Amino acid sequence: MSAIWNTLVRWGTGKGSDNSALKSATIESTVDNYRNMFDVKAKDKDEDQGKTKERVANAQKMVETYYNLATDFYEYGWGQSFHFAMSYPGEGFAASLQRHEYYLASKLQVKAGQKLPDVGCGVGGPQRAIARFTGAHVTGLNYNEYQVSRAKKLNADAKLQALTDVVRGDFMKLPFEDASYDGVYAIEATCHAPDR
């Protein structure tokens, strides 16, 4: 696993593990900690339910750990938009994701000058696409510190700082004033909500 990780880290940052969420030395312990969250060796139903309650109580930690492990892999193999989209015959993967993001913006009737948050923004792929497509200001919201830093860097690389911002926060307790946005969207992020 270390060889694959190091390859992905070099691909993602261009300079080794300095900008990765995890240093090579911590990968195995992080994987072990994540697996332990799902270690169900319960002897009875009550013990199993206790493990489930513990996992729900630690949902943010679980999601943070998962994305610290997975982000570089996702970006390497999937690109910067961590969601699915139906693809039409002859349409490439990246084109299907972009079409889906444009479709969402169109259905929401997003217009230039409006403000909206991308709740659970990942590394900001849809955020940048929708901001560029509509001229709206899109604020990414994400609990994962590493993804927030990646999104900010990628937004700057795309020269979209005037139309984007990224905030670290919990979408179950939005860190925004009431009525401060014209709309809101989430693409496959609310599956991580501990209380759906």
Side-chain angles (χ1 to χ4, degrees):
M1 179 154 141
S2 292
I4 294 170
W5 181 263
N6 288 334
T7 299
L8 290 174
V9 168
R10 282 193 301 278
W11 170 84
T13 65
K15 57 183 176 181
S17 61
D18 294 347
N19 291 336
S20 178
L22 300 173
K23 305 300 181 220
S24 294
T26 63
I27 293 169
E28 284 189 41
S29 65
T30 303
V31 169
D32 287 343
N33 289 338
Y34 184 76
R35 284 183 181 152
N36 287 337
M37 291 180 200
F38 295 93
D39 184 20
V40 182
K41 295 179 183 170
K43 295 177 181 140
D44 60 42
K45 188 175 181 179
D46 290 339
E47 189 177 343
D48 184 43
Q49 288 176 343
K51 190 72 169 176
T52 299
K53 286 180 184 176
E54 180 184 336
R55 197 168 44 250
V56 169
N58 293 309
Q60 286 181 326
K61 179 183 175 196
M62 181 178 66
V63 172
E64 177 88 5
T65 302
Y66 174 80
Y67 281 106
N68 281 348
L69 290 167
T71 296
D72 291 332
F73 291 104
Y74 279 18
E75 204 171 335
Y76 176 77
W78 203 315
Q80 297 171 5
S81 294
F82 301 166
H83 64 84
F84 294 98
M86 181 179 75
S87 64
Y88 293 106
E91 182 179 46
F93 178 70
S96 72
L97 296 178
Q98 190 172 50
R99 178 189 36 77
H100 180 77
E101 294 158 5
Y102 292 170
Y103 174 79
L104 175 65
S106 295
K107 288 302 271 185
L108 292 173
Q109 299 179 358
V110 178
K111 295 176 181 45
Q114 289 184 320
K115 293 171 47 179
L116 63 158
D118 176 341
V119 176
C121 68
V123 297
Q127 173 194 31
R128 285 184 293 284
I130 289 172
R132 190 180 298 116
F133 178 66
T134 65
H137 186 277
V138 183
T139 299
L141 176 67
N142 193 322
Y143 187 77
N144 183 276
E145 187 174 337
Y146 177 55
Q147 288 190 350
V148 167
S149 69
R150 286 291 296 150
K152 287 180 178 182
K153 180 190 180 313
L154 294 167
N155 290 349
D157 290 350
K159 299 184 180 4
L160 286 170
Q161 301 96 311
L163 292 177
T164 61
D165 188 20
V166 186
V167 175
R168 185 168 190 241
D170 179 359
F171 63 66
M172 297 297 289
K173 300 173 192 139
L174 293 173
F176 309 122
E177 294 293 321
D178 287 348
S180 57
Y181 288 94
D182 300 299
V184 61
Y185 70 89
I187 304 176
E188 299 177 32
T190 56
C191 61
H192 296 298
D195 184 15
R196 295 187 282 272

